[in-house]
């Protein structure tokens, strides 16, 4: 069986690659993120398994703790000797497993044995109870088991024996209770390379085993981080399904609460963190969490988010989960600031960032979509230096917390004109304000007292190409201008200020931002290391490159009925406010 891509009709929303059952007995499988899953591996003649390739595969699996049910919870019990059922344990094999366990119980102390097999009842379970052997019958993380094991005895082929062999631990595999043979880790690696064809779960295309191991390492990191989350609070109803996908610990996710006290109570009892949308923190949450010693992590939209506005109810394909603070509040450290100040940006990461910059610029991609590069210049500056002043939402926390001495769009325009009396100034109101979803609208006569032109139509990235400089409080347009090699002057304290790439007129936390970064390093931190991404088609955690590629498919981002109603409401509000 192979993995194919299916589309219902030319104008329909594309579907994810169909799942087959072929990968069920392969060590490298998909976590159960949802019911319908793409396939990772199909039986086939794969690549040639050189000694170097086998060792590389072995090392990666051991290092990244992937393969098998790596997404399962940690075991409640561990022992030095594991007795395991392999794939497809039926009634006959459970009887054989019972005989194997009984034989091993005469060789090892029952206190050293751990039976790992499905089913709380049956022949093997009865033998375990008879000898006082602990029995794990629910799925558990095999790597956590093997951390405490010295040998594995497995009936037939299974994950735990293969993983033990890859680790170099003693692993015995039995065709019958009396006939076993050692499992060699390099042979396991050879079979993984030669006996399977691997598929990219996001596209369905054939890929390499190394790429699949990269996917699994990413999923492991995401799932492990999500294990520390006990509850979600302050999340809008319309985005909860997507937030649940971001925070999944397959096959479940943290519960959502409306009341801060309920979320804190649950997290305190579990020793976990509560996550909350940074701009919707419920009253009393911080104080209650501090009293119970519960960490509060803040969530916000990512910088490469979606095709369509969040205020227009388009769900995000990227978010930040910040354990220290939030990126737009310079009064305290944030995870992004810590990354930019301390991360060792190696050559591979810098090159990846440079490729990402080139792709974003070439495709005209910004936070809320992409440009077709069709916008024509709407003004004649008559040789004057052209400055772009992007407006922001007046009550946005990035303005309130990061704007410093300059607060609001009018104050920014006045300050820019004061410092640049001879420049040609273009004012660009924020798209949420233009759509009527947020506050911050200035009358045209007020704007034109300090600006020379107001730009509303088209993409802001097209506009950036046509100016010499961008002057901003904290707008992401400044970051997008840096990607396009424009001079950026900041009057507040955005996340990209203070690293040697901008002219900073506002107050910068110099004690925390002492490092000089290249543009590639800034992008690596802000777009690769800091955010989380989810593929809007398959709903599977992914890297930024996958989301960027999805920006080309307009069917994924088609407005829902609710989004159309919201946009109509915003348009009417905007018209009435004129």
């Amino acid at each position: 069986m192979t993995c194919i891509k299916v589309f219902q009709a030319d104008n329909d929303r594309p579907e994810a690659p169909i799942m087959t059952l072929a990968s069920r007995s392969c060590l490298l499988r998909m976590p159960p993120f949802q019911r319908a899953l793409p396939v990772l591996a199909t039986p086939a003649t794969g690549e040639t398994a050189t000694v170097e390739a086998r060792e590389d595969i072995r090392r990666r699996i051991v290092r990244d703790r992937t393969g098998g049910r790596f997404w399962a919870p940690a075991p409640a019990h561990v022992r030095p000797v594991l007795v395991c059922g392999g794939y497809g344990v039926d009634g006959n094999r459970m009887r054989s497993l019972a005989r194997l366990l009984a034989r091993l119980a005469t060789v090892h102390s029952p206190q050293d044995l751990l039976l790992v097999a499905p089913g709380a009842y049956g022949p093997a379970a009865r033998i375990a109870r008879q000898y006082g052997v602990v029995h794990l019958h629910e799925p558990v993380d095999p790597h956590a088991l093997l951390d405490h094991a010295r040998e594995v005895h497995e009936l037939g082929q299974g994950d735990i024996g293969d993983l033990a062999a890859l680790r170099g631990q003693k692993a015995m595999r039995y065709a019958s209770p009396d006939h076993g043979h050692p499992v060699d880790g390099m042979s396991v690696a050879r079979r993984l390379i030669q006996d399977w064809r691997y598929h990219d779960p996001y596209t369905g295309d054939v890929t390499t085993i190394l790429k699949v191991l990269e996917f699994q390492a990413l999923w492991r990191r995401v799932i492990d981080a999500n294990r520390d989350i006990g509850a979600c609070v302050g999340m809008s109803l319309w985005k909860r399904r997507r937030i649940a996908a971001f925070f999944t610990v397959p096959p479940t996710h943290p519960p959502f609460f409306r009341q801060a006290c309920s979320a804190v109570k649950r997290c305190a009892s579990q020793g976990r963190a509560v996550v909350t949308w940074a701009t919707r923190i419920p009253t009393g949450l911080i104080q209650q969490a501090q009293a119970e010693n519960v960490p509060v992590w803040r969530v916000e939209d990512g910088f490469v988010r979606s095709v369509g506005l969040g205020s227009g109810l388009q769900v995000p394909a990227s978010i930040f989960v910040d354990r220290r603070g939030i990126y737009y509040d310079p009064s305290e450290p944030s995870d992004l600031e810590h990354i930019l100040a301390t991360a060792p940006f190696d050559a591979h990461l810098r090159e990846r960032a440079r490729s990402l910059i080139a792709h974003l610029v070439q495709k005209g991609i910004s936070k809320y979509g992409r440009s077709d590069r069709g916008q024509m210049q709407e003004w004649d500056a008559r040789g004057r230096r052209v400055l772009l002043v992007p407006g922001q939402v007046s009550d946005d926390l990035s303005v309130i917390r990061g704007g410093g001495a300059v607060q609001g769009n009018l104050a920014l325009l006045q300050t820019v004109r004061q410092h640049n009396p001879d420049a040609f100034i273009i004012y660009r109101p924020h798209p949420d304000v233009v759509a009527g979803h947020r506050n911050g609208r200035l009358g045209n006569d007020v704007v034109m007292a300090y600006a020379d032109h107001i730009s509303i139509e088209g993409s802001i990235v097209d506009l950036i190409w046509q100016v010499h400089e961008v002057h901003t409080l904290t707008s992401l347009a400044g970051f997008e201008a840096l990607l396009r090699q424009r001079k950026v002057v900041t009057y507040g304290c955005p996340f990209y200020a203070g690293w040697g790439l901008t002219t900073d007129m506002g107050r910068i936390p110099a004690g925390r931002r002492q490092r000089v970064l290249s543009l590639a390093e800034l992008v690596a931190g802000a777009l690769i290391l800091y955010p989380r991404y989810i593929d809007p088609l398959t709903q599977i955690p992914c890297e930024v490159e996958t989301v960027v590629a999805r920006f080309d498919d307009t069917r994924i981002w088609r407005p829902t009925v609710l989004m159309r109603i919201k946009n109509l409401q915003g348009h009417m509000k905007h018209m009435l406010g004129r």
Side-chain angles (χ1 to χ4, degrees):
M1 290 183 286
T2 58
C3 179
I4 58 175
K5 289 177 281 189
V6 175
F7 299 92
Q8 292 180 339
D10 288 345
N11 296 323
D12 280 355
R13 181 185 180 88
E15 294 184 357
I18 287 178
M19 179 186 182
T20 76
L21 301 181
S23 61
R24 205 171 250 181
S25 61
C26 181
L27 183 65
L28 308 181
R29 304 193 293 279
M30 284 284 301
F33 290 117
Q34 52 182 314
R35 290 183 179 179
L37 291 172
V39 67
L40 275 188
T42 52
T45 301
E47 306 169 17
T48 302
T50 64
V51 174
E52 293 79 8
R54 282 180 280 168
E55 175 57 29
D56 188 28
I57 297 303
R58 186 203 66 78
R59 179 182 57 82
R60 287 171 181 257
I61 291 174
V62 172
R63 179 195 65 194
D64 296 331
R65 300 169 71 83
T66 56
R69 289 190 176 97
F70 63 84
W71 57 87
H77 305 278
V78 293
R79 294 291 188 273
V81 181
L82 307 182
V83 184
C84 310
Y87 300 128
V89 178
D90 54 20
N92 289 332
R93 295 190 65 179
M94 286 299 282
R95 285 188 285 272
S96 295
L97 183 61
R99 290 166 51 201
L100 174 62
L101 177 61
R103 185 174 70 79
L104 291 170
T106 65
V107 179
H108 301 276
S109 168
Q111 285 70 39
D112 288 341
L113 294 173
L114 180 64
L115 175 63
V116 185
Y121 305 97
R126 284 195 297 271
I127 293 297
R129 288 193 294 271
Q130 177 183 331
Y131 283 93
V133 173
V134 175
H135 179 197
L136 295 179
H137 52 82
E138 296 292 339
V140 295
D141 179 3
H143 300 274
L145 281 175
L146 293 171
D147 288 341
H148 303 273
R150 69 169 182 263
E151 57 187 86
V152 174
H153 299 265
E154 190 170 58
L155 184 69
Q157 184 177 346
D159 295 341
I160 298 177
D162 282 350
L163 290 170
L166 290 169
R167 285 170 166 240
Q169 294 169 296
K170 178 182 177 181
M172 296 295 295
R173 182 157 287 150
Y174 297 82
S176 68
D178 302 315
H179 297 87
H181 64 275
V183 184
D184 175 61
M186 294 296 273
S187 296
V188 173
R190 177 187 56 78
R191 292 198 307 271
L192 286 172
I193 297 172
Q194 292 188 171
D195 295 351
W196 299 92
R197 178 180 294 122
Y198 295 94
H199 302 272
D200 185 318
Y202 308 106
T203 65
D205 298 333
V206 174
T207 189
T208 65
I209 185 174
L210 293 180
K211 198 66 181 176
V212 166
L213 290 177
E214 289 180 12
F215 296 148
Q216 288 210 328
L218 167 67
W219 300 333
R220 172 100 209 194
R221 292 193 301 272
V222 170
I223 292 168
D224 284 350
N226 288 345
R227 293 188 198 280
D228 294 329
I229 299 172
C232 305
V233 68
M235 305 290 180
S236 300
L237 288 172
W238 60 270
K239 67 175 71 169
R240 285 188 180 182
R241 184 176 180 183
R242 176 57 57 84
I243 295 300
F246 273 114
F247 293 149
T248 181
V249 178
T252 186
H253 60 79
F256 292 88
F257 291 92
R258 287 189 174 185
Q259 301 297 325
C261 57
S262 301
V264 170
K265 182 178 179 180
R266 177 184 175 87
C267 292
S269 66
Q270 298 178 339
R272 294 176 174 170
V274 59
V275 293
T276 182
W277 203 263
T279 57
R280 292 173 55 91
I281 299 176
T283 303
L285 173 62
I286 303 300
Q287 295 80 4
Q288 294 175 40
Q290 288 175 345
E292 297 293 337
N293 200 28
V294 170
V296 176
W297 299 349
R298 292 165 174 83
V299 181
E300 258 293 355
D301 283 333
F303 298 143
V304 179
R305 183 194 184 279
S306 59
V307 177
L309 300 175
S311 62
L313 307 186
Q314 180 64 272
V315 293
S318 172
I319 61 170
F320 306 125
V321 183
D322 203 304
R323 302 186 180 204
R324 290 179 173 85
I326 195 65
Y327 72 90
Y328 54 69
D329 185 357
S331 68
E332 58 183 357
S334 68
D335 285 354
L336 176 55
E337 188 179 68
H338 180 75
I339 289 168
L340 295 175
T342 64
F345 299 107
D346 60 27
H348 171 73
L349 189 57
R350 293 195 302 272
E351 181 55 35
R352 185 179 165 196
R354 282 190 285 267
S355 297
L356 179 60
I357 293 169
H359 192 83
L360 293 173
V361 170
Q362 180 188 6
K363 294 289 187 177
I365 291 174
S366 62
K367 181 176 182 177
Y368 295 117
R370 55 168 297 177
S371 161
D372 295 326
R373 299 291 297 273
Q375 184 175 349
M376 301 297 293
Q377 185 168 305
E378 307 167 350
W379 62 86
D380 180 7
R382 299 185 182 276
R384 297 156 67 188
R385 190 165 46 103
V386 181
L387 313 184
L388 170 62
V389 178
Q392 295 184 243
V393 177
S394 60
D395 56 357
D396 193 269
L397 287 181
S398 68
V399 175
I400 296 171
R401 302 280 179 83
V406 179
Q407 285 288 314
N409 295 325
L410 179 57
L412 175 62
L413 274 170
Q414 292 170 335
T415 304
V416 173
R417 175 56 76 192
Q418 179 183 351
H419 286 89
N420 303 273
D422 299 325
F424 188 91
I425 296 177
I426 300 172
Y427 178 70
R428 171 80 172 204
H430 192 278
D432 284 349
V433 175
V434 173
H437 301 321
R438 302 288 297 276
N439 298 323
R441 181 178 178 272
L442 295 176
N444 290 353
D445 54 339
V446 175
V447 172
M448 293 304 290
Y450 304 97
D452 300 282
H453 181 74
I454 300 174
S455 174
I456 296 177
E457 302 298 330
S459 167
I460 193 167
V461 296
D462 287 344
L463 187 58
I464 289 171
W465 283 115
Q466 302 176 56
V467 304
H468 300 103
E469 302 173 15
V470 172
H471 289 239
T472 180
L473 278 177
T474 61
S475 172
L476 190 63
F479 177 68
E480 291 168 341
L482 289 175
L483 301 186
R484 291 157 179 85
Q485 303 297 316
R486 293 299 184 262
K487 179 180 178 180
V488 176
V489 181
T490 67
Y491 296 82
C493 186
F495 72 89
Y496 50 84
W499 309 105
L501 296 168
T502 54
T503 300
D504 301 319
M505 308 294 286
R507 185 176 180 181
I508 306 296
R512 303 198 308 263
R513 302 189 187 184
Q514 298 179 331
R515 191 180 189 184
V516 175
L517 297 176
S518 67
L519 180 60
E521 290 168 336
L522 176 67
V523 169
L527 297 186
I528 298 176
L529 299 182
Y530 184 44
R532 295 185 184 200
Y533 295 93
I534 201 162
D535 176 17
L537 178 57
T538 65
Q539 308 296 312
I540 297 171
C542 66
E543 297 283 15
V544 58
E545 291 85 356
T546 299
V547 171
V548 168
R550 297 299 193 202
F551 273 51
D552 288 334
D553 194 337
T554 57
R555 290 170 296 182
I556 295 175
W557 311 100
R558 287 188 306 175
T560 63
V561 173
L562 188 61
M563 291 167 62
R564 292 191 181 100
I565 293 173
K566 179 68 173 178
N567 288 337
L568 179 61
Q569 181 186 45
H571 180 70
M572 293 176 65
K573 180 181 177 182
H574 180 72
M575 294 295 294
L576 292 172
R578 286 186 173 181

